[in-house]
Amino acid sequence: MSDMLENLTDTIARPHAIAVFACVLAGPAAAQTACPLLSAGTISGLPLVQPNDNRVAAGEVVDGVREIALRVTRADWRLETPNGPGLAVAAVAEKGAAPTIPAPLIRVESGTRVRVRVQNGLGDAAIMVFGLHTRPSAETAFEVSPGEARTVEFDARAPGTYLYWIREGPEPDPESEPAFVEETQLAGAFVVDPVGGSASDRIFVMNIFSEPADTAVCPTGWVEGLAINGRSWPFTERMALAVGDGLRWRVVNATNREHPMHLHGFYYSVVSRGTMTADTIYGPDDRRLVVTESMQPRTTMVMEWQATRPGRWLFHCHLSFHISSEIRLPGAMASDPAQAHSHMAGLVIGIEVAPGVSDLISRGPPVAVDLFANEYGDRPGYRYGFAHDAAFAADSLTDVPGPLLVFEQYQTVDATVHNRMTVPTAVHWHGLELVAWADGVPDWSASEGRVSPVIAPGDSFTYRLSLMRPGTFIYHSHLDDVHQLTGGLYGPLLVLPEGERFDPRTDHVMVWGWTHPEPTSIDQMDLNGRREQPDGTAQLGERHRFRIVHIAPAGRISAWLTRDGDIVPITLHAKDGADLPPHQQTLVERLPYLSVGETADFTWTPTVTGTYELHVGFAQDPEAHLVQRWVVP
């Protein structure tokens, strides 16, 4: 197995609930073990962590200097409810206050002198502090011994969205430590505003705790907590908005993992992307519209969007393992029966837009479409699939991905999903701007007095789709995502400009998926439901459009074209169904990496005859991608 696949397997296995949630404490004796899990209703004796909504900046100004006093201490993190299960972790507190997750917000205007005192209240471990320095600059760090304190002083210069973080103990040795020891709950946002301040905004910080535990108490050997601003769904803060509200959000990925951040029902503009040490703020002409933006470890983003129609929506990480209900701590369901039905957890924010006027446009009567969700028993590979035909052959493999749905801009579509499986399901129309009750998150998406339901076996539900812009989109299960997506419940959806017709000879849709929740080789990944791709043919001077869709539960992919082993440039065209700014539609050697829930379009016009190869996958490695042969006679 290639290094890429080994790394991928490590990445998806750690967040996957199966490897985490059999850790159940066995009474008071568990407090003497290495397992950090705290049972529901117990009193740990540790200070209780408070969720940090990042509305109040730490410190105070003394003689023109922003002075901040921080202390690292052991704490009790109840990431759902105060009476639910929790984790005994290290956390950061501002002087005289309770510890918080995320760590206290540092926010100052450019040009401010900053003085930060960090006290190590851990009696058994040194800490290493990162990110308390001027920007832009190389990353610097300093160590604080147990029981000691250290003060650093610097000037805040370049405006932007950054972060700081603290590591407990020495850096893990990759040769002897598990790959995903993670204590990024010891991290917070660091914002430098321009002189005079910034426009009104909200800050959302993602933190993860993930550590090995005593297998005598935690048989899986791991416990985890995933949170936004200190809470895990369904207990994260709800955003209460009105139609017409303009939102500016700073999103901080303080974790060691990638998070593709998806907004339901609306596009957002990417205003900036940053790292620990620098932030790139885009001009108006450089801001692309997206519905999903992949955030790499320890990066930041500023996004702007407008709530243009009422209802309940979501903003969440689209990596399936980070939002599965299985990542709730052991005992969470029993401690809060009212939330036991929730099919999501982790990195999710709920959005509630009050009733108001909708921006949706509809031309002509609704078009009716039927989709049948089928189940195929114990056949190898895919177990489920969508079909148009009620009499679809149960032994066919051509229903994965589901049928290509092609519509015209401003059409209205009534899509009826018939569940002929033995398990419940629901369908999300990923990327579409539509009425909230049809968005497809069961028991959450709601408006006009209607709610998207769980579609029980033998039942059906009709979703009302609006098609506001041309582009490449996805429909997929939004229930038990890990298993139903790898089971085959997804398909591509295209919206064409008014009056345009789809030509499959020059317009090609390629959907990347997995056939197993934890793949160990490229043999458990495919394009358009198959490993081997049919040959394609193109003519000289003929423009071909390729639409790449990523709907596997995790991982990043790219696409590139070669001829005789040499790279052939391709032209970027669109992202998430929205055309890129004209000056970004340029020739590139490969498609920028796509993560879960992202789509991208590129074009290719052959100018030389010969045999070409289209590669889609993780890297230029024969074990890590799939290839389609193209002949230009």
Side-chain angles (χ1 to χ4, degrees):
M1 185 166 60
S2 69
D3 290 341
M4 181 285 302
L5 285 170
E6 288 178 355
N7 293 334
L8 174 66
T9 302
D10 288 341
T11 300
I12 65 173
R14 281 301 324 117
H16 194 194
I18 292 173
V20 177
F21 302 100
C23 174
V24 180
L25 288 183
Q32 306 303 315
T33 74
C35 184
L37 183 65
L38 301 171
S39 296
T42 58
I43 299 175
S44 67
L46 298 171
L48 186 65
V49 169
Q50 297 299 312
N52 181 6
D53 63 8
N54 289 297
R55 290 176 180 264
V56 179
E60 58 182 358
V61 177
V62 178
D63 296 330
V65 177
R66 169 69 69 167
E67 293 191 346
I68 302 167
L70 304 177
R71 184 173 187 269
V72 179
T73 185
R74 302 290 177 200
D76 181 337
W77 184 24
R78 307 283 170 158
L79 62 163
E80 292 197 346
T81 65
N83 295 322
L87 295 165
V89 300
V92 185
E94 192 174 1
K95 181 180 180 180
T100 67
I101 296 177
L105 167 66
I106 298 177
R107 187 164 194 170
V108 296
E109 284 191 8
S110 177
T112 300
R113 188 70 174 171
V114 182
R115 183 182 299 129
V116 185
R117 182 178 188 270
V118 181
Q119 181 182 9
N120 181 359
L122 307 179
D124 55 355
I127 59 173
M128 188 68 72
V129 184
F130 300 82
L132 297 182
H133 54 74
T134 299
R135 268 78 169 189
S137 69
E139 183 174 325
T140 63
F142 59 89
E143 184 175 8
V144 186
S145 300
E148 300 297 322
R150 183 167 174 182
T151 299
V152 293
E153 193 167 331
F154 56 92
D155 293 324
R157 291 177 182 164
T161 307
Y162 311 100
L163 67 147
Y164 71 100
W165 64 283
I166 297 171
R167 187 184 71 225
E168 178 185 352
E171 184 175 4
D173 180 357
E175 299 299 322
S176 60
E177 295 288 342
F180 267 84
V181 175
E182 189 168 3
E183 293 188 339
T184 58
Q185 81 284 352
L186 289 164
F190 190 145
V191 175
V192 179
D193 291 309
V195 175
S198 298
S200 177
D201 58 31
R202 285 299 309 273
I203 301 170
F204 300 103
V205 179
M206 291 178 281
N207 302 91
I208 293 179
F209 176 90
S210 175
E211 284 200 348
D214 188 336
T215 55
V217 177
C218 299
T220 62
W222 290 89
V223 288
E224 289 196 319
L226 289 78
I228 297 179
N229 282 2
R231 287 283 189 253
S232 178
W233 177 266
F235 302 98
T236 48
E237 180 184 354
R238 302 287 169 86
M239 300 294 107
L241 309 176
V243 171
D245 282 353
L247 290 310
R248 180 182 174 90
W249 289 356
R250 299 178 189 263
V251 184
V252 177
N253 177 9
T255 80
N256 295 331
R257 308 182 194 176
E258 174 199 16
H259 302 295
M261 300 307 295
H262 174 51
L263 179 63
H264 282 228
F266 305 92
Y267 277 80
Y268 62 90
S269 175
V270 180
V271 175
S272 77
R273 292 302 310 267
T275 66
M276 284 282 297
T277 59
D279 195 7
T280 300
I281 301 173
Y282 303 125
D285 293 339
D286 293 321
R287 298 175 182 177
R288 61 188 179 279
L289 289 175
V290 302
V291 297
T292 311
E293 179 79 357
S294 176
M295 298 187 67
Q296 293 305 295
R298 296 199 181 99
T299 62
T300 69
M301 170 176 68
V302 174
M303 55 181 280
E304 293 181 346
W305 64 284
Q306 187 173 29
T308 54
R309 79 194 74 91
R312 292 200 304 207
W313 311 91
L314 291 180
F315 179 63
H316 66 90
C317 173
H318 211 288
L319 203 153
S320 298
F321 304 103
H322 292 173
I323 58 171
S324 167
S325 63
E326 294 175 314
I327 64 174
R328 299 187 72 180
L329 291 175
M333 301 296 192
S335 68
D336 188 8
Q339 297 294 338
H341 70 280
S342 181
H343 70 284
M344 300 179 75
L347 304 179
V348 185
I349 292 176
I351 301 165
E352 301 187 38
V353 184
V357 177
S358 170
D359 65 333
L360 297 178
I361 297 172
S362 175
R363 295 177 183 168
V367 175
V369 172
D370 288 290
L371 280 176
F372 297 88
N374 298 315
E375 185 171 350
Y376 304 110
D378 295 327
R379 76 178 188 189
Y382 292 115
R383 183 179 180 185
Y384 312 117
F386 289 114
H388 267 324
D389 186 355
F392 196 83
D395 61 350
S396 173
L397 294 177
T398 61
D399 58 329
V400 177
L404 172 63
L405 304 181
V406 182
F407 304 118
E408 188 175 283
Q409 187 178 14
Y410 302 126
Q411 271 187 321
T412 299
V413 174
D414 283 344
T416 301
V417 176
H418 307 264
N419 185 0
R420 304 196 303 185
M421 306 182 298
T422 61
V423 296
T425 194
V427 177
H428 170 51
W429 309 89
H430 185 113
L432 293 188
E433 299 152 286
L434 74 178
V435 63
W437 63 259
D439 190 47
V441 182
D443 297 329
W444 172 258
S445 301
S447 62
E448 303 174 359
R450 303 187 65 183
V451 181
S452 282
V454 172
I455 307 175
D459 206 348
S460 64
F461 182 75
T462 300
Y463 299 93
R464 172 62 58 90
L465 311 183
S466 298
L467 307 163
M468 294 291 287
R469 70 180 70 225
T472 306
F473 306 98
I474 323 168
Y475 61 94
H476 63 81
S477 169
H478 213 295
L479 187 68
D480 192 14
D481 295 20
V482 173
H483 299 288
Q484 293 200 7
L485 290 183
T486 57
L489 286 180
Y490 58 82
L493 188 156
L494 306 187
V495 180
L496 302 179
E498 291 180 286
E500 188 173 304
R501 294 294 175 262
F502 179 68
D503 183 356
R505 198 177 62 81
T506 58
D507 201 334
H508 317 285
V509 183
M510 314 198 80
V511 185
W512 178 264
W514 291 357
T515 63
H516 191 281
E518 296 182 14
T520 56
S521 78
I522 195 70
D523 293 336
Q524 293 169 312
M525 305 174 190
D526 62 29
L527 276 174
N528 291 346
R530 67 186 74 183
R531 292 270 301 117
E532 302 296 329
Q533 303 302 307
D535 288 352
T537 302
Q539 302 300 318
L540 287 175
E542 183 178 64
R543 182 178 180 268
H544 286 251
R545 179 171 180 165
F546 292 86
R547 305 172 187 259
I548 310 298
V549 175
H550 185 342
I551 197 55
R556 293 195 303 158
I557 63 170
S558 182
W560 61 99
L561 196 66
T562 61
R563 178 179 176 274
D564 296 331
D566 296 327
I567 290 288
V568 176
I570 56 178
T571 302
L572 298 178
H573 184 79
K575 168 75 165 61
D576 290 350
D579 286 354
L580 294 169
H583 67 281
Q584 293 182 14
Q585 296 184 26
T586 58
L587 284 172
V588 296
E589 292 190 347
R590 64 168 55 231
L591 197 67
Y593 277 108
L594 295 183
S595 191
V596 183
E598 293 185 291
T599 73
D601 301 9
F602 69 86
T603 61
W604 166 55
T605 303
T607 58
V608 178
T609 61
T611 299
Y612 295 76
E613 289 185 331
L614 174 64
H615 306 254
V616 180
F618 292 98
Q620 290 178 320
D621 176 337
E623 295 185 56
H625 64 263
L626 302 177
V627 178
Q628 183 181 40
R629 181 172 173 266
W630 281 81
V631 176
V632 180

